[in-house]
Amino acid sequence: MGETGLLVRGVGESTDVVSKEMYTFTDRGNRSLTLRPEGTAGVMRSVIEHGLDRGQLPVKLWYRGQFFRAERPQHGRYRQLQQFGIEAIGSDDPALDAEVITIADDGYRSLGLTGYRLELTSLGCSKDRGPYRDLLVEFLAGLDLDEATRERARLNPLRVLDDKRPEVQAQLTDAPLMMDHLCAECAEHFSDVCALLDANDVGYLLNKRMVRGLDYYTRTTFEFVHDGLGAQSGIGGGGRYDGLMAQLGGQELSGIGFGLGIDRTFLACQAEGLSPGPVRALDVYIVPLGEARTRAALLATELRRAGVRTDLAFGSRALKGAMKGADRSGAPYVIVIGERDLEADLCQIKAMDSGEQTAVPLKDVVHHLKELLP
Ligand code: HAM
């Protein structure tokens, strides 16, 4: 949740996100608050408020959480969505753009995804925007558009390029595009980013017509698109936002970031028959027999304090039932402590994949497991 004014200034008044999709309400102190529709504006606010930009630059941050947009729900489009995001603030070096994009691409690859593409463009700098906007407004004025679209062309002409209606798209074939009107510095910046992505072996397609739903973007802007999702194909996106920090009351610092849509990334995995989980939750499962229960509980505490993810069988289950629990737990190692082991201060550590069992002194269990675990 955030202060409404911050989100309006950050995301942009004329965007759909602000004008149609925010959950805004007044609190008891008569303040206007909004369930956050995205994370970047809030991260900037936090950087400014806590002076995180006063140390070494760039500041690199990540976040994950719930975001809220009052969109019409459909497959892959939710009113409560989840994002994972990264932001790097304080450098306009093209190497930072390439780093952020490569991390994003590696993230999708690490899930095993292959059916996505990275679309890339440059939206230029604030100096490029004015003359380009004039060109676009002039072009749009010559088209046959309805009143609402004319109004949109007046408020935010770029957004008209994103109009999905075929009768509008047909008229936009010759529209001037920002990529063709970059200043020399922005053109060089963009070509450096592309060269670094090539060197990192990150494939991309230029999409000169890309329009993002948030207004803060400048220069490098990108989207990851998956074809297996239907209409809601964007599984992540991001870009530079060189004026955002100053606009929100901070220093004149540039930045770049990326937001991964967790819900849609899961759908993409599903579409490709991939299972991103289950992530192994346990390293070891302890099965105590008879009188060994108290000692097992102490061992569990000792292991947890040493950072080993541990669970144990409770109640007085017989060995067979407890081993079934061990199997279901998914832990790669099981420790069995029988009464005779206890007398000898020993336990049996069983590797679940090979079935191999080793007798280990109880005092050495932590050390022994630390050696075994990755
Ligand atoms: P965004 O493109 O608006 O960017 O959202 C990022 C991702 O969140 C989208 O690609 C999509 O996967 C997911 N997403 C958005 N809306 C929905 C929805 N209604 N249902 C399900 N998933 C959704 C941002 O939010 C920027 N803050 C990203 C960024 C970070 N740019 C720079 N830094």
Side-chain angles (χ1 to χ4, degrees):
M1 188 150 48
E3 191 224 324
T4 304
L6 167 92
L7 293 162
V8 172
R9 272 180 291 140
V11 174
E13 203 158 352
S14 63
T15 58
D16 281 356
V17 169
V18 166
S19 63
K20 300 188 198 152
E21 298 169 2
M22 296 211 305
Y23 286 100
T24 298
F25 60 94
T26 309
D27 77 354
R28 288 165 192 264
N30 221 19
R31 287 168 289 248
S32 179
L33 299 179
T34 294
L35 297 182
R36 56 184 188 178
E38 63 98 50
T40 311
V43 168
M44 289 309 118
R45 194 267 311 139
S46 178
V47 168
I48 298 167
E49 187 174 327
H50 301 290
L52 300 181
D53 51 339
R54 287 194 218 115
Q56 164 122 316
L57 296 177
V59 187
K60 293 180 173 176
L61 301 166
W62 70 273
Y63 53 91
R64 189 189 71 81
Q66 311 289 328
F67 297 87
F68 301 86
R69 298 184 187 180
E71 297 189 79
R72 201 151 38 85
Q74 63 178 81
H75 184 66
R77 186 165 72 194
Y78 310 120
R79 289 180 168 162
Q80 179 169 350
L81 58 125
Q82 300 183 63
Q83 274 186 19
F84 164 82
I86 55 176
E87 312 290 348
I89 304 136
S91 169
D92 60 6
D93 192 324
L96 193 59
D97 304 43
E99 182 175 289
V100 165
I101 297 172
T102 304
I103 288 172
D105 190 57
D106 284 351
Y108 293 117
R109 281 196 215 192
S110 73
L111 293 172
L113 286 170
T114 53
Y116 68 91
R117 63 182 179 278
L118 164 61
E119 297 188 355
L120 195 63
T121 194
S122 173
L123 297 179
C125 60
S126 56
K127 280 180 286 160
D128 299 342
R129 292 289 178 82
Y132 170 67
R133 193 187 153 104
D134 293 346
L135 267 179
L136 185 59
V137 167
E138 198 185 315
F139 172 84
L140 294 174
L143 304 185
D144 178 20
L145 301 172
D146 58 81
E147 203 36 56
T149 315
R150 284 201 175 289
E151 175 66 7
R152 195 149 11 113
R154 206 177 50 75
L155 279 174
N156 193 337
L158 259 175
R159 208 151 296 286
V160 179
L161 295 180
D162 198 31
D163 199 310
K164 302 282 187 293
R165 290 170 298 177
E167 66 276 20
V168 178
Q169 273 305 323
Q171 299 186 64
L172 294 173
T173 333
D174 298 325
L177 300 171
M178 186 70 246
M179 270 273 279
D180 301 325
H181 298 272
L182 298 178
C183 66
E185 240 179 282
C186 286
E188 191 187 338
H189 189 274
F190 189 65
S191 88
D192 287 351
V193 173
C194 293
L196 286 160
L197 290 177
D198 292 337
N200 280 349
D201 198 22
V202 174
Y204 55 88
L205 288 170
L206 294 187
N207 176 0
K208 294 186 181 185
R209 289 178 175 269
M210 185 192 304
V211 181
R212 300 274 293 133
L214 313 158
D215 268 358
Y216 46 64
Y217 291 114
T218 54
R219 291 191 161 181
T220 315
T221 306
F222 56 94
E223 260 173 4
F224 287 86
V225 180
H226 196 283
D227 286 329
L229 297 188
Q232 301 307 314
S233 56
I235 54 173
R240 274 207 165 270
Y241 38 81
D242 289 348
L244 182 60
M245 182 103 159
Q247 200 176 327
L248 297 178
Q251 306 188 57
E252 198 65 63
L253 285 180
S254 53
I256 177 160
F258 160 71
L260 175 145
I262 295 176
D263 314 273
R264 288 190 198 163
T265 302
F266 268 106
L267 290 174
C269 287
Q270 218 172 42
E272 290 194 31
L274 296 165
S275 152
V279 175
R280 184 154 59 80
L282 277 184
D283 296 317
V284 64
Y285 190 89
I286 307 178
V287 173
L289 299 172
E291 294 302 308
R293 287 215 301 276
T294 309
R295 184 65 185 87
L298 293 180
L299 181 61
T301 303
E302 192 189 346
L303 284 163
R304 287 178 188 135
R305 285 185 179 156
V308 180
R309 293 169 302 176
T310 307
D311 201 2
L312 71 165
F314 289 98
S316 45
R317 290 163 83 185
L319 181 63
K320 201 166 156 212
M323 283 310 280
K324 218 184 241 173
D327 223 16
R328 281 204 202 114
S329 79
Y333 294 98
V334 173
I335 296 177
V336 181
I337 316 179
E339 291 187 346
R340 225 176 289 154
D341 294 319
L342 193 62
E343 276 165 27
D345 269 333
L346 284 177
C347 68
Q348 310 293 324
I349 299 186
K350 183 174 174 188
M352 293 303 269
D353 54 356
S354 63
E356 199 180 309
Q357 196 160 308
T358 322
V360 177
L362 279 166
K363 64 175 178 28
D364 298 337
V365 171
V366 170
H367 177 75
H368 189 88
L369 275 174
K370 285 261 176 184
E371 297 271 294
L372 291 174
L373 289 165

